[in-house]
Structures are given as C-alpha cells and as structure tokens.
C-alpha cells in the first residue's frame, strides 16, 4: 500500500519537472528589455484646465508645451528639469514676464530621455542670456514628446 503512494508521488514529481522544463524553455527567448532607470523630475506647470479645448486656447501664446490629463483636468507643462536650481531659474524668468507657474514632481522612466535632459539642464545652468531659456525648455519638451509620451 505504501509503495502505491510512493509511486504516485514520484510520478507526480516527474510530470511536474517535465512540464516545468517545457514551459521554461518555451518562454526562454521571449524576454523583453526593460528600461529600469527612473528619476523624479520637476515639471513646471503652466495651468490646469477642465477641458482640452480650454487648455489649447490658454496655451496659444506658448511656443512649446506638453500636457497630461487625469479624470478631472488637463495639465500643461512648459519646462522639465531635474535640478531645483534650474527649476527656480526658469520659474523666475517666466514670473518676470507675468506667468504664474507651479512646480510638480513626477517620475520619468526613460534612460534615453534622462540622458538628453541632463544636457538641457547643463545648458540651462550655464546660460546667462535669459532669452535662451524658452528655447532650451522647448527642446526639452520636444524630446519628452518624442521619447516618453510616444511610449505611453
């Protein structure tokens, strides 16, 4: 009687091992590379709007912006930076022109975008000509649109 149970247990283990090997080898070549680098970045928010049309009307005078939306609002952003120093520099530039901006921290997981952003941040940090700030921010926004928003 004990031999009967022992035989069933050994057979169950052998079948489990065979199925495990089959499934493991079946999916072995289907790995997908994952972009695991992520950082918390500063997004300078231009405004929050209840509809997409309201956002488009309000941002007509901006050269470049990106937006996100949740269930309630559309949020327009005019600059992205990883440096608090650059965030304050850009915010001060736009506030002198009469804009009211809010900084919002958001996590981005795209190593190629983060590499590009570090170059734009370096330019923002080093610039002494304040009129180049919108151009640098626009370039960063365009890169974000190309590399991050396309993926989502």
């Amino acid at each position: 009687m004990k031999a009967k149970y022992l035989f069933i247990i050994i057979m169950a283990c052998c079948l489990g091992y065979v199925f495990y090997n089959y499934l493991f080898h079946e999916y072995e070549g289907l790995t997908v590379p994952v972009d695991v680098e992520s950082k918390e970045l500063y997004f300078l928010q231009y405004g929050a709007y209840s509809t997409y049309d309201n956002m488009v009307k309000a941002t007509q005078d901006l050269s470049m912006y990106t937006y996100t939306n949740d269930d309630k609002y559309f949020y327009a952003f005019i600059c992205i930076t990883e440096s608090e120093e650059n965030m304050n520099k850009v915010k001060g530039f736009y506030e002198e022109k009469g804009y009211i901006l809010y900084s919002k921290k958001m996590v981005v997981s795209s190593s190629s975008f983060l590499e590009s952003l570090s170059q734009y941040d370096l330019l923002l940090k080093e610039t002494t000509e304040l009129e180049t700030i919108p151009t640098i921010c626009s370039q960063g926004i365009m890169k974000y649109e190309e590399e991050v928003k396309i993926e989502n």
Side-chain angles (χ1 to χ4, degrees):
M1 184 88 162
K2 290 183 183 182
K4 180 180 174 184
Y5 290 123
L6 184 62
F7 177 74
I8 291 173
I9 291 172
I10 290 172
M11 287 303 293
C13 288
C14 289
L15 280 173
Y17 179 75
V18 168
F19 284 125
Y20 161 78
N21 271 336
Y22 172 74
L23 288 174
F24 180 74
H25 291 296
E26 189 71 26
Y27 291 105
E28 190 174 34
L30 298 178
T31 58
V32 177
V34 178
D35 195 1
V36 293
E37 185 180 356
S38 63
K39 273 190 181 175
E40 190 173 55
L41 304 175
Y42 294 98
F43 283 67
L44 284 171
Q45 180 182 318
Y46 180 74
Y49 308 94
S50 57
T51 66
Y52 177 79
D53 291 335
N54 287 347
M55 180 189 66
V56 170
K57 287 178 189 172
T59 56
Q60 285 179 346
D61 62 331
L62 297 176
S63 60
M64 188 71 190
Y65 68 94
T66 188
Y67 70 93
T68 61
N69 66 312
D70 57 17
D71 293 336
K72 288 179 127 184
Y73 298 105
F74 288 84
Y75 302 94
F77 301 102
I78 61 171
C79 195
I80 304 169
T81 181
E82 60 184 333
S83 160
E84 186 175 3
E85 177 186 340
N86 283 344
M87 184 266 303
N88 288 327
K89 184 177 192 175
V90 173
K91 194 173 180 182
F93 169 79
Y94 278 106
E95 285 176 348
E96 283 182 14
K97 298 201 172 283
Y99 294 89
I100 299 172
L101 300 178
Y102 306 95
S103 66
K104 193 175 207 177
K105 287 185 175 181
M106 293 170 42
V107 175
V108 174
S109 299
S110 171
S111 59
S112 58
F113 172 70
L114 293 173
E115 285 178 27
S116 300
L117 185 63
S118 66
Q119 297 298 317
Y120 295 125
D121 269 350
L122 184 61
L123 289 171
L124 275 173
K125 182 179 180 180
E126 298 298 322
T127 189
T128 55
E129 297 177 28
L130 296 180
E131 295 304 317
T132 61
I133 288 176
T135 305
I136 297 169
C137 287
S138 293
Q139 294 296 318
I141 293 290
M142 285 188 336
K143 201 65 157 170
Y144 177 80
E145 289 282 323
E146 289 172 11
E147 297 187 14
V148 178
K149 277 193 93 171
I150 299 294
E151 294 172 4
N152 295 334

